[in-house]
Every structure is written in C-alpha cells, then in structure tokens.
Amino acid sequence: VKQFAQEGGWVMLQNCHLMSSWVPKLERLLEVVSEGAHEDFRCFISAEPPPMASMINMPESLMQSCIKVANEAPSDVQSNLIRAWD
C-alpha cells in the first residue's frame, strides 16, 4: 500500500471483514498515505456486512471516506439464472 501510494498504482484488498482486528491498522495506514499520495493511487477494499447487526463492521470513518458499491443477489431463481448467464 505504501509503495503504490508513493509511486501510483492500484491495490485490491479482498475479504477485509475476515480480519477485523487488522482493519483499524489499515484505516490508520490509509489516513497516513493519503496525505501525500500519488494522484494515480487507488485502494479497493472488499468486505461483506456482518451476519448480525450487533456485530462489528468496518470502521465508520473508513466507510465514510470510501465510495461504496453494493452487489445484491437477485430475489428469485429465474433472475439469478439470467444474471449468471449474462
């Protein structure tokens, strides 16, 4: 992350919800590198919402500084099959 923030590049961090103890460190790292980041630096983070609302999710400040994209599964079988073939 630090290297790409300095030189410019894209980073994809997948399944961050599985490393909830590490996410606060990631949040701080992104705060630090964003101050002098290259204009071509991009960090993509994928995570799933917690199964229960009472469980800890991604930090709120991290979520507020991101552009969020939701991918919801179709509600019926026919739509799901059509989506799979497209």
Side-chain angles (χ1 to χ4, degrees), residues 39-76:
E39 65 180 22
D40 293 332
F41 172 64
R42 301 291 184 271
C43 182
F44 298 90
I45 300 172
S46 75
E48 293 182 8
M52 295 186 296
S54 63
M55 295 178 73
I56 297 174
N57 197 0
M58 301 293 280
E60 186 175 338
S61 62
L62 183 61
M63 294 293 289
Q64 288 176 347
S65 66
C66 297
I67 297 172
K68 291 157 281 302
V69 177
N71 185 13
E72 298 181 14
S75 59
D76 62 340

Side-chain angles (χ1 to χ4, degrees), residues 19-59:
M19 294 291 292
S20 59
S21 63
W22 176 73
V23 171
K25 294 177 187 173
L26 171 65
E27 179 183 21
R28 179 65 184 140
L29 174 65
L30 291 173
E31 285 176 11
V32 169
V33 300
S34 67
E35 292 175 6
H38 192 277
E39 65 180 22
D40 293 332
F41 172 64
R42 301 291 184 271
C43 182
F44 298 90
I45 300 172
S46 75
E48 293 182 8
M52 295 186 296
S54 63
M55 295 178 73
I56 297 174
N57 197 0
M58 301 293 280

